[in-house]
């Protein structure tokens, strides 16, 4: 028996529950694969039969490649596939112990689905949303028993990304929170528990990676290629911000930024960029459309390999990321450990931002932020109170 098959047997013993996935798109299909691999009995629901067939075929393709690469054996492939049933009526989900909704990011649509689901499933069924930014409390309010509702946010691609954010609403019971954390942990994912605030951890803390890079570009400090090169070379990030935004797609990345900005009552820290908005309006969505910040139909530009310039770019972006991570900790949205796990496991940052703050020095962070604020007098550069307090008292995050 291979190590993977041994692990699957262990998972099967731990997680033999009935799981229902609402939505058979990329995310829903990925979550179904994760749950099935862990030994759960899974039903994938979608009204669109063509979408269900596509999901089933995508799983076949994915697992066949794993068999070819000798990462799993043929019987393991069959076990995962046999654990999943594809259904097109909600009533077929009535035996679910856990339902995870992974449909369009529209609050009213989600509320309607949750309201319908509640009438079909057991009173002990956990109802979870995979939303990346919408209010879990608002979704829960659509249910007669909101204490059973929680956010369980996977990252794409779900089978590969280690992190899952678990977000209790103000209505969520402690029992449902603990059960959800245990289930996701049994699925061999890294759990980060976050307060129900806009963007949770990752989509909040990561905003400066994009927004400060855009500000640097708009000020004429450097072009896209040079900023990307700087953050990869000096910071060790796998992708630069403009490469990453083009990969994500501006129809997704810009909308998340605008949603977080609005949800935080137009806090200037989260202000979107007109540069990115104009690309969205032009239909230049990134790699998916062949053009975004970069034109993928022609040779990509070379960066200006100036190490001094690169270091100044990196320092400006990293201190803004650290400031947002620190504020997330200061406002008790998540623990320091969960914040750093979220950024390393959820978006593959080379280091946890709070550990990075300790390494660079809390005093350095405060000084850098104060320099930016003194230069711009823009509230986006206000230093988090926790950093200023730690600098005064000689504190560290870890």
């Amino acid at each position: 028996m291979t190590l993977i098959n041994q692990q699957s047997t262990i998972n099967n013993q731990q997680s033999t529950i009935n799981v229902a996935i609402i939505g058979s798109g990329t995310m829903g299909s990925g979550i179904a694969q994760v749950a099935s691999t862990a030994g759960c009995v899974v039903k994938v629901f979608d009204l669109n039969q063509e979408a269900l067939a596509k999901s089933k075929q995508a799983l076949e393709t994915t697992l066949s490649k794993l068999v070819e690469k000798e990462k799993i054996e043929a019987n393991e492939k069959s076990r995962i596939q046999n654990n999943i049933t594809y259904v097109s009526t909600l009533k077929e989900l009535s035996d679910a112990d856990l339902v995870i909704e992974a449909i369009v990011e529209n609050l009213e649509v989600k509320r309607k689905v949750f309201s319908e689901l509640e009438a079909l499933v057991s009173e002990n069924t956990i109802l979870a949303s995979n939303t990346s930014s919408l209010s879990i409390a608002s979704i829960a309010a659509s249910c007669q028993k909101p204490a059973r509702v929680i956010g369980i946010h996977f990252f794409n691609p779900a089978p590969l990304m280690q992190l899952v954010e678990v977000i209790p609403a103000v209505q969520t019971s402690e029992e449902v929170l603990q059960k959800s954390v245990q289930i996701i942990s049994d699925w061999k994912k890294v759990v980060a528990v976050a307060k129900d605030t806009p963007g949770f951890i990752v989509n909040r803390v990561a905003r400066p990676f994009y927004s400060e890079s855009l500000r640097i570009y708009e000020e004429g400090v450097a072009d896209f290629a040079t900023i990307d090169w700087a953050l990869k070379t000096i910071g060790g990030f796998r992708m630069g911000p403009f490469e990453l935004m083009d990969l994500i797609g501006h129809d997704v990345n810009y909308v998340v930024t605008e949603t977080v900005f609005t949800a935080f009552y137009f806090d200037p820290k989260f202000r979107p960029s007109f540069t990115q908005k104009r690309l969205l309006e032009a239909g230049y969505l990134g790699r998916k459309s062949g053009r975004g910040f970069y034109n993928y139909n022609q040779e990509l530009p070379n960066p200006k390999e100036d190490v001094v310039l690169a270091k100044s770019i990196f320092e400006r972006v990293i201190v803004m990321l650290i400031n947002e991570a620190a504020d997330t900790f200061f406002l008790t949205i998540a623990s320091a450990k969960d914040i750093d796990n979220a950024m390393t496991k959820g978006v593959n940052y080379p280091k946890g931002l709070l550990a990075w703050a300790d390494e660079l020095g809390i005093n350095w962070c405060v000084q850098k932020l104060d320099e930016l604020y003194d230069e711009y007098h823009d509230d986006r550069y206000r230093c988090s109170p926790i950093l200023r307090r730690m600098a005064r008292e000689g504190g560290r995050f870890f």
Side-chain angles (χ1 to χ4, degrees):
M1 181 180 288
T2 68
L3 178 61
I4 289 179
N5 284 340
Q6 288 174 344
Q7 186 63 65
S8 297
T9 301
I10 294 170
N11 288 347
N12 191 46
Q13 292 169 352
Q14 292 176 330
S15 304
T16 309
I17 61 172
N18 293 329
V19 177
I21 309 296
I22 308 291
S24 63
T26 301
M27 185 57 77
S29 298
I31 297 170
Q33 181 184 334
V34 171
S36 175
T37 301
C40 299
V41 176
V42 182
K43 290 181 181 176
V44 178
F45 164 83
D46 203 302
L47 289 171
N48 188 325
Q49 291 284 355
E50 186 177 335
L52 287 173
K54 185 178 178 182
S55 175
K56 187 174 183 179
Q57 182 56 51
L59 180 63
E60 164 66 27
T61 301
T62 297
L63 296 178
S64 293
K65 287 180 180 178
L66 291 176
V67 171
E68 289 173 13
K69 294 177 180 178
E70 299 184 345
K71 292 191 175 182
I72 63 172
E73 295 179 356
N75 62 344
E76 170 72 349
K77 172 190 171 185
S78 298
R79 185 190 68 80
I80 294 170
Q81 290 176 309
N82 292 338
N83 278 346
I84 303 178
T85 305
Y86 299 85
V87 302
S88 56
T89 57
L90 278 177
K91 66 181 180 181
E92 292 182 80
L93 310 182
S94 60
D95 61 347
D97 300 303
L98 168 66
V99 180
I100 301 177
E101 164 273 312
I103 59 174
V104 62
E105 282 285 273
N106 180 293
L107 181 59
E108 292 311 311
V109 172
K110 291 180 188 293
R111 285 169 58 91
K112 184 175 184 294
V113 168
F114 273 68
S115 181
E116 291 178 13
L117 269 174
E118 191 176 34
L120 299 172
V121 297
S122 159
E123 63 179 16
N124 296 318
T125 301
I126 296 173
L127 303 181
S129 176
N130 184 60
T131 181
S132 60
S133 58
L134 296 176
S135 163
I136 305 301
S138 186
I139 295 171
S142 66
C143 294
Q144 295 296 316
K145 291 195 170 188
R148 64 162 70 189
V149 178
I150 195 165
I152 298 181
H153 178 219
F154 286 78
F155 290 77
N156 194 28
L160 298 180
M161 298 304 289
Q162 291 180 279
L163 181 77
V164 177
E165 293 177 322
V166 174
I167 309 100
V170 292
Q171 305 100 310
T172 307
S173 72
E174 181 64 24
E175 181 184 10
V176 166
L177 170 60
Q178 294 305 322
K179 280 185 177 179
S180 299
V181 168
Q182 187 61 57
I183 289 168
I184 302 304
S185 296
D186 285 348
W187 294 0
K188 303 306 172 188
K189 295 296 184 180
V190 175
V191 175
V193 178
K195 192 180 287 185
D196 184 15
T197 56
F200 312 135
I201 303 172
V202 170
N203 279 322
R204 173 186 180 146
V205 175
R207 290 348 296 159
F209 188 64
Y210 314 116
S211 63
E212 198 59 27
S213 299
L214 280 158
R215 283 290 292 266
I216 291 168
Y217 164 77
E218 289 170 345
E219 291 172 15
V221 174
D223 59 17
F224 304 137
T226 300
I227 297 168
D228 279 347
W229 178 81
L231 287 163
K232 289 187 293 183
T233 302
I234 306 298
F237 291 91
R238 294 188 185 181
M239 297 184 73
F242 299 102
E243 292 175 307
L244 185 52
M245 284 185 278
D246 272 358
L247 180 64
I248 294 168
H250 302 296
D251 52 335
V252 175
N253 184 267
Y254 176 82
V255 170
V256 170
T257 298
E258 192 173 55
T259 299
V260 171
F261 179 56
T262 303
F264 276 108
Y265 307 108
F266 308 104
D267 187 327
K269 287 196 303 179
F270 304 108
R271 187 185 299 121
S273 160
F274 281 115
T275 298
Q276 190 178 24
K277 186 179 183 183
R278 294 297 180 257
L279 290 178
L280 176 62
E281 292 168 341
Y284 296 163
L285 305 182
R287 284 187 176 273
K288 69 180 75 175
S289 67
R291 185 169 176 182
F293 291 114
Y294 297 105
N295 187 337
Y296 296 94
N297 298 309
Q298 61 187 39
E299 187 176 347
L300 299 181
N302 293 318
K304 180 181 179 181
E305 297 186 2
D306 181 332
V307 175
V308 175
L309 174 62
K311 186 177 178 182
S312 68
I313 290 168
F314 161 73
E315 288 182 349
R316 185 167 161 181
V317 173
I318 196 63
V319 80
M320 291 295 283
L321 284 166
I322 287 170
N323 197 43
E324 196 53 50
D327 235 19
T328 301
F329 174 73
F330 175 65
L331 298 172
T332 66
I333 289 162
S335 69
K337 178 182 176 183
D338 280 354
I339 291 167
D340 273 13
N341 274 340
M343 304 316 291
T344 55
K345 307 297 185 185
V347 278
N348 291 318
Y349 280 15
K351 299 176 187 176
L353 292 169
L354 299 180
W356 219 333
D358 286 343
E359 180 182 309
L360 291 170
I362 304 299
N363 285 316
W364 179 88
C365 295
V366 171
Q367 181 182 344
K368 191 69 180 176
L369 287 162
D370 285 348
E371 287 174 0
L372 288 166
Y373 185 82
D374 288 344
E375 181 172 353
Y376 293 97
H377 285 273
D378 186 334
D379 211 33
R380 70 188 276 117
Y381 298 113
R382 67 185 187 272
C383 179
S384 174
I386 192 68
L387 287 176
R388 203 173 292 285
R389 182 186 306 163
M390 290 169 71
R392 185 172 62 247
E393 299 174 355
R396 294 171 59 89
F397 287 103
F398 298 102

